[in-house]
Amino acid sequence: MVNHTMTNTKVFTVENAIQAERRIQELVREGYNKDNLYVLAHDNDRTERVAEQTNASKIGVAEEGILTTIGNLFRSHGDTLRAKMRSMGVSKQYADILESELDKGKIVILAWNGVSYEGDRYDSEVTYFPPYL
């Protein structure tokens, strides 16, 4: 049986780890594979803690691609966060918005469709919750 709920990437912004955990549980019930659920916080320690608490993943080399990972060595922290999201199909415009939400202490959850993006390419089918534009 083909699971059609995995056809597009969904991006959620939540206030805290408890909301992140609830959202991830909902996404698993919808049929998303835990291996395709990612959390991102403004600092690496918080990302690590939230990922561990929610059993979600952190965005790594496999998701970013080697070129983005190498480029992140030379980027500012904000640029690195945006590059991680861009590699998973988030447009530049939304990556900027989401990074500013991370600056405010929020957590971003990506239910990813598994397609990697490089350069200025992005996934026009990504759904954002809440919708920012």
Side-chain angles (χ1 to χ4, degrees):
M1 185 171 116
V2 176
N3 187 342
H4 293 289
T5 60
M6 285 292 294
T7 55
N8 76 332
T9 297
K10 294 180 180 179
V11 179
F12 298 86
T13 306
V14 297
E15 299 288 333
N16 54 49
I18 293 167
Q19 289 179 0
E21 190 169 16
R22 284 189 199 127
R23 176 62 61 194
I24 287 168
Q25 289 169 355
E26 288 173 21
L27 290 163
V28 168
R29 282 194 297 275
E30 285 179 29
Y32 280 87
N33 184 324
K34 273 204 179 245
D35 292 342
N36 284 10
L37 299 176
Y38 296 85
V39 294
L40 194 58
H42 195 268
D43 68 83
N44 292 334
D45 290 341
R46 187 170 186 213
T47 299
E48 186 81 39
R49 286 192 311 273
V50 173
E52 194 172 297
Q53 180 178 341
T54 61
N55 285 324
S57 301
K58 299 174 297 175
I59 301 168
V61 177
E63 297 77 26
E64 290 181 307
I66 192 71
L67 294 177
T68 300
T69 301
I70 291 170
N72 284 345
L73 297 173
F74 305 99
R75 290 185 175 106
S76 71
H77 187 64
D79 287 346
T80 297
L81 292 170
R82 286 188 293 276
K84 285 177 180 283
M85 291 183 278
R86 297 283 312 276
S87 70
M88 298 175 87
V90 173
S91 71
K92 180 184 182 321
Q93 184 178 20
Y94 275 105
D96 291 344
I97 292 168
L98 293 168
E99 199 269 329
S100 72
E101 292 297 300
L102 291 170
D103 284 345
K104 298 173 191 170
K106 296 188 180 177
I107 298 167
V108 170
I109 301 164
L110 291 109
W112 186 41
N113 69 3
V115 178
S116 295
Y117 291 83
E118 291 184 22
D120 289 332
R121 293 182 54 238
Y122 67 93
D123 182 350
S124 62
E125 301 295 314
V126 176
T127 308
Y128 299 90
F129 302 93
Y132 289 99
L133 300 175

